[in-house]
Amino acid sequence: MNLHKFATPAGTGLAGYGPTSPLQRFLEQRHEEFRSDSSGQVASYIPELTRANPKHFGAAFGTIDGHVYEVGDSAAPFTIQSVSKAFVFALALETLGDERVEQAIGVEPSGEAFNSIRLTADNRPFNPMVNAGAIACSGLIRRVEGDGAFERIRTILGQFAGRELDVDEAVYASESRTGDRNRAIAWLLRNYSVIEGDVDAVLDVYFRQCAILVTARDLAVMAATLANRGVNPTTGVRVVSPHAVGRTLSIMMSSGMYDYAGEWTYRVGIPAKSGVGGGIAAVLPAQLGVGTFSPLLDSHGNSVRGMKMCEALSSRFDLHMLNRSGDVRSCVIADYEAARVASRRNRAPHERAILDERRSDMRVLELVGALTFGSIDYVARRLGEAPPRAALLILGLHRVPDVTEAGRRLLADYLDRLGEDGVTVVIAGVAADAPLWRALRDNSPKARLRRFDLLDEAVEWAEDQLVYRYGGFSVAATAELAAQPLLAGLGAKDIAALERLSSVRRYEAGAKIVSAGDEADSLFFLQSGMASVKLPSGVRLATFGPGDGFGEMAMLEGRRSADVFADVASICRELPLDALGALGDRAQVMLMRNLAALLAQRLILANAKVELLTGN
Ligand code: GLU
């Protein structure tokens, strides 16, 4: 929907809606509320961090379509510290694979302080969010990248943030000078071969990584990249795989907030990682990334105001990750049988009779929205309740932007089962190179699948199958003028006269028979071949076969409203409108009646479609 359409002239309309979006207002109001809270202390164990300005408070939300809401000191730089651990862990998984990373580092919450020197019973760090695990992670990157390890980390963190990131040399030097505890941890890890080679070089990578400068906005975009399954929504760059994202978020959920992690998951329920520089990055998968900065820390080392912002977001909008809901039934927007809505292919009366009789042999389900495991299960059950009597199931997916991996797997299994039952499934509205189509085709070996770009093409194809199966194609169509519905009831003499006044025209495949905008001064009757009416945009309005007439709107309108193309080599009889003037009054009235009947038929069909698609 285009919001601008609703703008009122006085400038009070929705056109100026952006700056007052509800999320921006929420951010501003909570910022105003929490900035006066000056509880907590700035970190002091890295001497340089004591210089932080306790008044600083910035926050930002990054959406997965690349918009960033910001408030306060969202552009103020600070050192990323432990927030880097989550992103470097993702990089390690991506670079070395799960197995090598998990051999070196555990995934259990430690129940100990972040800088604890204790290891697990098998002498590994508890998880990658405590210092031991993070130093081990930096060591793993160094094993692969050697002296280029830090640059690799800086580059990847920059890709997460969507810009190049620098290092705060003073903070780096300060921690490097005083970080003996981390040094002790690193040597212990070396003792157990979790770290190999030059311990000081590994520590240097770790200290530098912690001293990378970011802003609250950067953290929001970095978090949004995780929310967006590893693709930075502001740059479109894939930084890590969805698999690494899932693993990383799991660890953030269980161990991201120091000794408050369990409490955080219980109360807030949003995977997050904080750092002693005052930053928090929180991730709402498939929705939002949150970045906050305020250097006043509570006794656990978490930023007081940052936590408040995340807590407020979670409670105000009920965003706890484990408290989700959804109505799977809303994914079906239309569900109908063959006869209710025909394709745009004009059907001869005997074909229509077949489609009418075999109506329950073909079922069309139009789906909408992102499909999930739950919605696919619902669709399968809904179809199971009233199975198509035979044979043709059309799934219209043109309004489906995405199917979750779980949904895709369940759908693939279901398509196999339908294949075994002899049902052909026609997937419509999905491009040939779309990942969804490839996944279904490759993972449903027993399915009987067809695919069309457009729903209308799919319906036409399925109708053809029914017409063919029930002998409809063996009945020869007639192109006699006398058999034209438009000329029904005219006497033999009149028909003969019209025949004389008309001319036979031949068209190559693809030739244009009628152009939109041209003077509408004749009627056409297709004798052989096939022709389609199309809008300039390429949208097909109707397709005609032998025996059909078209261009009859010329009797009502001065100019052609659409193009008509020959789909294959075709022969038409063209009758100039002038010729109709030669008919007597009675015949002319008859002609107008026939025209009205044809239009009424079309209107009835259009109304049925409107009813079906709007539900009223
Ligand atoms: N560089 C800090 C350290 O290793 C990071 C601590 C943190 O942010 O939790 O002690």
Side-chain angles (χ1 to χ4, degrees):
M1 189 201 313
N2 181 358
L3 290 177
H4 294 269
K5 276 192 188 150
F6 296 94
T8 52
T12 53
L14 291 170
Y17 194 65
T20 54
S21 89
L23 211 44
Q24 179 70 33
R25 276 175 66 100
F26 172 85
L27 204 51
E28 285 165 9
Q29 286 166 350
R30 296 294 87 80
H31 182 266
E32 189 56 33
E33 184 181 336
F34 301 144
R35 61 191 283 216
S36 56
D37 183 344
S38 52
S39 57
Q41 308 276 322
V42 301
S44 58
Y45 75 100
I46 298 173
E48 190 67 19
L49 290 184
T50 55
R51 296 161 60 98
N53 179 350
K55 289 212 168 64
H56 269 161
F57 179 27
F61 296 156
T63 67
I64 60 163
D65 66 336
H67 185 78
V68 182
Y69 299 100
E70 301 180 62
V71 71
D73 302 310
S74 58
F78 59 96
T79 55
I80 189 168
Q81 299 299 340
S82 277
V83 183
S84 65
K85 291 170 178 173
F87 299 94
V88 176
F89 177 61
L91 172 63
L93 286 175
E94 199 73 359
T95 312
L96 291 102
D98 294 10
E99 210 178 315
R100 278 183 75 188
V101 174
E102 288 162 14
Q103 265 166 17
I105 308 165
V107 295
E108 287 300 330
S110 70
E112 307 238 355
F114 72 100
N115 57 3
S116 166
I117 205 159
R118 208 163 75 87
L119 301 178
T120 61
D122 60 353
N123 300 312
R124 289 179 307 154
F126 277 91
N127 65 64
M129 303 294 113
V130 293
N131 283 9
I135 294 168
C137 230
S138 307
L140 288 176
I141 306 283
R142 193 165 191 285
R143 267 192 228 175
V144 177
E145 303 285 344
D147 289 342
F150 174 68
E151 265 316 295
R152 175 90 180 120
I153 289 172
R154 194 175 71 90
T155 304
I156 290 295
L157 264 56
Q159 286 180 7
F160 270 110
R163 71 179 186 102
E164 197 177 326
L165 300 175
D166 296 322
V167 171
D168 186 325
E169 292 295 339
V171 173
Y172 157 70
S174 177
E175 183 169 18
S176 178
R177 230 178 11 253
T178 56
D180 289 340
R181 196 178 171 98
N182 283 332
R183 232 168 243 120
I185 291 173
W187 281 104
L188 187 67
L189 293 174
R190 168 84 197 274
N191 179 59
Y192 292 121
S193 303
V194 174
I195 288 183
E196 290 173 356
D198 186 342
V199 174
D200 285 329
V202 171
L203 279 163
D204 197 64
V205 172
Y206 174 71
F207 290 146
R208 276 185 187 279
Q209 137 196 344
C210 288
I212 285 176
L213 281 167
V214 289
T215 64
R217 181 197 165 95
D218 291 332
L219 289 187
V221 175
M222 294 172 85
T225 302
L226 292 178
N228 197 32
R229 305 195 89 205
V231 174
N232 182 320
T234 65
T235 62
V237 171
R238 167 160 300 288
V239 188
V240 287
S241 65
H243 174 81
V245 169
R247 294 286 202 250
T248 303
L249 292 179
S250 310
I251 302 283
M252 289 168 75
M253 195 72 161
S254 60
S255 310
M257 298 295 281
Y258 301 119
D259 290 348
Y260 191 70
E263 194 93 12
W264 177 267
T265 299
Y266 185 74
R267 299 192 188 289
V268 183
I270 301 178
K273 182 71 202 94
S274 67
V276 295
I280 298 178
V283 181
L284 268 168
Q287 300 192 77
L288 200 68
V290 178
T292 64
F293 166 53
S294 168
L296 291 173
L297 310 180
D298 69 5
S299 58
H300 295 111
N302 293 316
S303 163
V304 176
R305 294 176 183 133
M307 285 175 75
K308 285 196 156 178
M309 187 60 96
C310 294
E311 283 161 2
L313 179 70
S314 173
S315 67
R316 171 69 183 86
F317 300 109
D318 190 17
L319 289 171
H320 194 297
M321 280 266 307
L322 303 179
N323 196 14
R324 299 294 91 223
S325 64
D327 184 348
V328 293
R329 291 166 299 188
S330 60
C331 70
V332 177
I333 193 172
D335 180 355
Y336 46 91
E337 293 176 330
R340 273 200 73 192
V341 173
S343 71
R344 289 173 187 154
R345 167 83 165 273
N346 199 47
R347 295 287 172 188
H350 72 279
E351 293 179 332
R352 206 166 290 149
I354 291 173
L355 293 174
D356 233 28
E357 190 181 327
R358 312 305 311 190
R359 58 172 61 214
S360 53
D361 286 18
M362 171 177 146
R363 178 116 171 242
V364 184
L365 226 62
E366 292 185 38
L367 306 179
V368 67
L371 301 181
T372 61
F373 180 75
S375 42
I376 297 294
D377 168 62
Y378 170 70
V379 166
R381 249 179 308 116
R382 181 175 171 129
L383 287 167
E385 278 159 20
R389 212 179 45 222
L392 292 155
L393 169 64
I394 299 177
L395 293 178
L397 301 183
H398 49 291
R399 294 189 193 86
V400 170
D402 197 13
V403 182
T404 63
E405 186 53 36
R408 204 172 290 195
R409 289 182 192 188
L410 195 61
L411 181 56
D413 288 352
Y414 182 53
L415 295 179
D416 262 345
R417 216 214 74 200
L418 289 173
E420 284 169 347
D421 291 351
V423 179
T424 297
V425 179
V426 189
I427 305 283
V430 173
D433 57 356
L436 173 63
W437 168 245
R438 277 188 265 137
L440 294 178
R441 194 193 48 197
D442 298 347
N443 295 306
S444 309
K446 299 190 196 110
R448 302 165 68 157
L449 283 180
R450 296 280 312 206
R451 185 207 60 83
F452 290 92
D453 285 342
L454 302 177
L455 178 62
D456 188 53
E457 291 170 350
V459 174
E460 177 179 353
W461 180 82
E463 286 171 355
D464 280 349
Q465 303 306 300
L466 291 181
V467 169
Y468 182 75
R469 196 171 299 169
Y470 295 101
F473 284 147
S474 60
V475 181
T478 169
E480 297 284 312
L481 285 193
Q484 287 297 326
L486 184 65
L487 307 181
L490 261 58
K493 251 177 63 201
D494 282 340
I495 295 281
L498 292 181
E499 211 148 69
R500 267 196 313 280
L501 292 167
S502 67
S503 355
V504 172
R505 313 240 179 255
R506 288 164 199 281
Y507 302 93
E508 300 291 311
K512 209 179 209 183
I513 303 175
V514 155
S515 291
D518 278 5
E519 200 181 334
D521 53 5
S522 65
L523 307 175
F524 290 83
F525 302 101
L526 196 59
Q527 295 190 296
S528 70
M530 185 120 77
S532 287
V533 185
K534 291 182 182 167
L535 291 178
S537 63
V539 169
R540 174 174 81 143
L541 297 181
T543 294
F544 300 108
D548 292 334
F550 58 88
E552 72 282 2
M553 294 290 277
M555 294 166 74
L556 303 171
E557 287 183 324
R559 306 225 160 253
R560 305 283 186 197
S561 57
D563 298 324
V564 180
F565 292 92
D567 297 330
V568 296
S570 302
I571 302 175
C572 293
R573 195 172 270 282
E574 183 176 8
L575 178 65
L577 271 187
D578 290 352
L580 300 176
L583 297 173
D585 284 354
R586 212 190 125 265
Q588 297 231 14
V589 170
M590 193 78 85
L591 211 58
M592 290 320 272
R593 257 201 213 151
N594 290 341
L595 178 64
L598 282 174
L599 295 181
Q601 247 178 40
R602 241 183 266 165
L603 195 59
I604 287 167
L605 194 65
N607 285 345
K609 286 194 190 189
V610 169
E611 187 203 2
L612 196 72
L613 296 179
T614 60
N616 53 64

